[in-house]
Amino acid sequence: MTKIVSFINLKGGVGKTTTTVNIAANLADDGYKVLVIDLDPQTNATVSLIDQEEWQDCHDHGQTLFHLFNDMLKGNDEFDINNAIIEDVGDVDGLDLLPSSIHLVEIQDEIPDMDNKAYVSHVDVLGNAIETIKNKYDFILIDCPPNLGAITLNGISISDYYIVPTVPDILSKIGISLILNRIKSFQKRKHSCKIDLAGIIFTKVDNRTNLHKSTMRELRSGDYRESVFESEFPQRISVAEAPVDSRPFLTSPTAKGKADYHATKRIISSLTGEFLMRIGG
């Protein structure tokens, strides 16, 4: 059975894409067949796995998620899921990508209007598109935009689980509860949505700061204690720089040249192991 997992945070810059891409690459390296769906118009997951020229080629041929939603809005027929998926990205066998586009920004506010124009609910567009190919994968990981708008709801609607990567700062508790409440509210309206919280991952952790240490301690002993991953993602320059190669950390030449490469690789492996444990992989 394919497991579909959305990575969600309402704040940008929290390491959401880094966490998504690197867990996906590690899963593929372990022999699983993995698809990354980049729902975020910022396209960070896309450019972490393919270079600008390859993305431009996808765009020119109408094969990005912008074209999927635009087809539904405009009655076009450009997008083809079988042509849109790019295989073995980032020099990782078994890691595939459904790329995003910055042009999604241009139409994201129009997407809810689709209900009046098409024969499908605007939150079911992605689910319908991947229906014929999803069973090829062990895992589908979705990098969602930093909001709970129409595009994100397309990911939530089809997901079995969601993960909240969060920097352990003063706003994290408020943000986590807001996400949980909004998703519960969505499930009340869409009964077919069976998504569950798989966990909270602390990202960009700086153990030198009292704020990070105290926030992690509080969340690990409070209402979310069962949901917090034991593994955490520390602030690492090597991880932040890997996308310059259009590669995940695992295969990035820049990352491999850093002194902390092997230590960071063990951290990502530990996160991936806990990910598998939490979603029953």
Side-chain angles (χ1 to χ4, degrees), residues 18-83:
T18 298
T19 307
T20 308
V21 165
N22 285 295
I23 288 178
N26 219 71
L27 287 167
D29 191 58
D30 286 344
Y32 294 102
K33 184 72 174 166
V34 184
L35 174 66
V36 172
I37 297 178
D38 186 3
L39 272 184
D40 194 339
Q42 294 179 79
T43 71
N44 290 330
T46 297
V47 299
S48 295
L49 294 171
I50 61 172
D51 61 30
Q52 181 69 29
E53 289 77 17
E54 192 166 6
W55 176 84
Q56 189 67 53
D57 187 60
C58 295
H59 179 76
D60 291 346
H61 287 88
Q63 303 305 321
T64 74
L65 283 166
F66 161 76
H67 299 93
L68 167 64
F69 287 100
N70 196 54
D71 278 3
M72 297 299 294
L73 281 168
K74 306 288 171 60
N76 298 336
D77 197 22
E78 277 191 287
F79 183 86
D80 182 328
I81 189 68
N82 295 296
N83 294 330

Side-chain angles (χ1 to χ4, degrees), residues 54-168:
E54 192 166 6
W55 176 84
Q56 189 67 53
D57 187 60
C58 295
H59 179 76
D60 291 346
H61 287 88
Q63 303 305 321
T64 74
L65 283 166
F66 161 76
H67 299 93
L68 167 64
F69 287 100
N70 196 54
D71 278 3
M72 297 299 294
L73 281 168
K74 306 288 171 60
N76 298 336
D77 197 22
E78 277 191 287
F79 183 86
D80 182 328
I81 189 68
N82 295 296
N83 294 330
I85 290 174
I86 310 166
E87 298 182 337
D88 299 332
V89 291
D91 281 345
V92 182
D93 289 343
L95 179 62
D96 295 355
L97 171 70
L98 183 52
S100 187
S101 169
I102 53 175
H103 296 283
L104 262 177
V105 171
E106 299 165 12
I107 61 166
Q108 61 185 357
D109 293 337
E110 296 177 54
I111 289 172
D113 297 338
M114 197 182 292
D115 293 352
N116 302 320
K117 299 177 183 177
Y119 297 107
V120 61
S121 166
H122 71 278
V123 299
D124 292 330
V125 175
L126 178 63
N128 288 342
I130 68 165
E131 185 62 35
T132 58
I133 57 91
K134 68 180 182 183
N135 290 331
K136 289 169 51 179
Y137 296 97
D138 299 302
F139 299 101
I140 297 175
L141 273 53
I142 304 176
D143 188 26
C144 295
N147 59 59
L148 286 172
I151 295 173
T152 302
L153 292 177
N154 269 266
I156 290 171
S157 179
I158 59 172
S159 292
D160 302 297
Y161 299 96
Y162 67 103
I163 285 175
V164 183
T166 184
V167 176

Side-chain angles (χ1 to χ4, degrees), residues 200-248:
I200 297 160
I201 298 177
F202 292 133
T203 55
K204 297 189 173 183
V205 174
D206 186 348
N207 282 305
R208 297 170 301 178
T209 70
N210 288 329
L211 174 60
H212 279 205
K213 287 191 285 189
S214 63
T215 303
M216 290 192 294
R217 192 163 52 243
E218 184 180 351
L219 286 169
R220 284 199 162 113
S221 60
D223 293 341
Y224 304 120
R225 59 186 176 277
E226 299 297 326
S227 301
V228 176
F229 272 57
E230 287 183 28
S231 306
E232 55 199 44
F233 219 143
Q235 180 75 276
R236 291 285 169 101
I237 292 173
S238 57
V239 175
E241 290 184 350
V244 302
D245 301 317
S246 300
R247 300 286 182 275

Side-chain angles (χ1 to χ4, degrees), residues 248-268:
F249 176 85
L250 195 66
T251 55
S252 161
T254 300
K256 286 180 178 179
K258 301 293 182 182
D260 66 356
Y261 176 78
H262 292 290
T264 307
K265 188 178 176 184
R266 286 192 292 272
I267 290 166
I268 295 170

